[in-house]
Amino acid sequence: MVATLPPANARVVLGHENGRLIHRGTVAVRGPCAPSHSELLGLGLTEPQARALDCVLAWFGNPFDAVTWDSPSGIDLRWGAWPLSGAPLIAALAHWKQHEPEAFEARLGRLGVDVTLEPVSLHLQGSRGAPPCEGREALALLGEDPKLMASLAQAGRERGAQLAQLEALIAQVLRPLLAASSPDAAEAEAPAGPFTSARALAVLFLTELRFGRRGITKLMAHARERAGQPASGELAGERLAEDLRTAGRVREAAELWRLLSSPELGDPP
């Protein structure tokens, strides 16, 4: 299915997967239509954090304009490079509307979509006599209506919306993750923390992306296994990869090893 949208008759190709509409995306994380490295740094990331995030999104994320679902059952709509779902997705749209209200209105507002940042909420005006809805119900309808789905995908091609995706990702996912992975005052043997290098940060970010809180808990436990020695995020990644291999999850183990061995994440000369 091809949707043609204003302006300039932009085309968005929608497909079907497990009975759900999807858009696989066309705007790669690295490319002329995506934010630059300096723009990543402008969002408040350190150089190692920006390198790590860029690497993880480029290798294991989605295009900025991808719209998919979180599982074969299609419970939560997902949008963008991380990809975002639920409250972070709504926050990204709200950040975009806040920074570029006219662009938001042209893509989504004209179709009855509205968002607020405080509190984070999404509202969808009903069409053809349907009542208005909000929250997760509204998100689900965004993914069920071809025009709304295509317009959300098209929004992901806007630079402002891409930066809003990253802004929401950093605020709602990465900042809490980095705070939780930092050593407390009692861990004086590793004052900088186990996740400070670009490589260790990439391992941390990929673990969050692929496995969520359960994976992070296991990674942190591995980082602190060596009694009397500084915690090591890279060694923790190796041990987590070995756990995955032993459990028969060879693909996920290989993803971690790609990060652990990539020259992209080495210390700069």
Side-chain angles (χ1 to χ4, degrees):
M1 177 188 301
V2 179
T4 303
L5 303 170
N9 294 321
R11 294 192 299 175
V12 177
V13 179
L14 301 178
H16 285 86
E17 188 173 88
N18 299 310
R20 292 281 199 175
L21 285 171
I22 63 166
H23 176 62
R24 297 195 181 280
T26 58
V27 180
V29 170
R30 291 175 178 168
C33 297
S36 65
H37 186 73
S38 62
E39 285 174 306
L40 268 181
L41 293 173
L43 294 173
L45 296 178
T46 66
E47 177 66 29
Q49 290 167 355
R51 288 174 57 209
L53 180 59
D54 172 74
C55 190
V56 169
L57 291 181
W59 291 7
F60 308 112
N62 290 341
F64 276 108
D65 58 335
V67 186
T68 58
W69 298 86
D70 70 335
S71 68
S73 60
I75 296 173
D76 285 323
L77 187 71
R78 307 201 304 175
W79 177 56
W82 180 255
L84 302 172
S85 63
L89 190 163
I90 298 172
L93 292 175
H95 281 300
W96 182 37
K97 179 186 176 184
Q98 185 180 60
H99 297 319
E100 297 184 347
E102 292 182 359
F104 178 89
E105 178 63 27
R107 295 288 177 266
L108 296 173
R110 66 183 180 85
L111 298 175
V113 179
D114 194 20
V115 285
T116 59
L117 194 54
E118 294 183 1
V120 173
S121 62
L122 170 70
H123 305 272
L124 182 61
Q125 293 296 320
S127 61
R128 299 177 183 175
C133 59
E134 60 183 32
R136 288 186 178 273
E137 182 183 359
L139 277 177
L141 288 176
L142 278 180
E144 293 171 0
D145 183 288
K147 182 179 288 187
L148 289 171
M149 164 76 86
S151 296
L152 182 61
Q154 186 188 29
R157 299 175 182 178
E158 296 275 350
R159 180 62 56 85
Q162 295 164 5
L163 290 170
Q165 286 181 23
L166 296 171
E167 187 177 359
L169 168 63
I170 291 166
Q172 300 218 7
V173 180
L174 300 188
R175 290 291 181 215
L177 175 63
L178 290 166
S181 65
S182 297
D184 58 33
E187 292 178 305
E189 78 278 2
F195 299 98
T196 54
S197 70
R199 194 179 307 282
L201 285 162
V203 167
L204 182 71
F205 295 165
L206 179 63
T207 301
E208 173 67 26
L209 176 63
R210 286 288 188 255
F211 311 115
R213 184 52 48 196
R214 181 176 296 182
I216 291 297
T217 299
K218 195 161 192 177
L219 182 70
M220 292 302 300
H222 281 316
R224 297 186 173 96
E225 279 178 352
R226 299 187 304 169
Q229 298 185 48
S232 169
E234 294 180 29
L235 181 59
E238 293 179 12
R239 291 179 172 174
L240 181 59
E242 181 58 24
D243 289 344
L244 292 167
R245 187 195 64 79
T246 302
R249 303 177 69 171
V250 178
R251 182 181 65 83
E252 290 100 326
E255 289 180 346
L256 282 170
W257 277 113
R258 287 176 68 188
L259 295 179
L260 289 163
S261 60
S262 170
E264 282 192 26
L265 295 166
D267 294 331

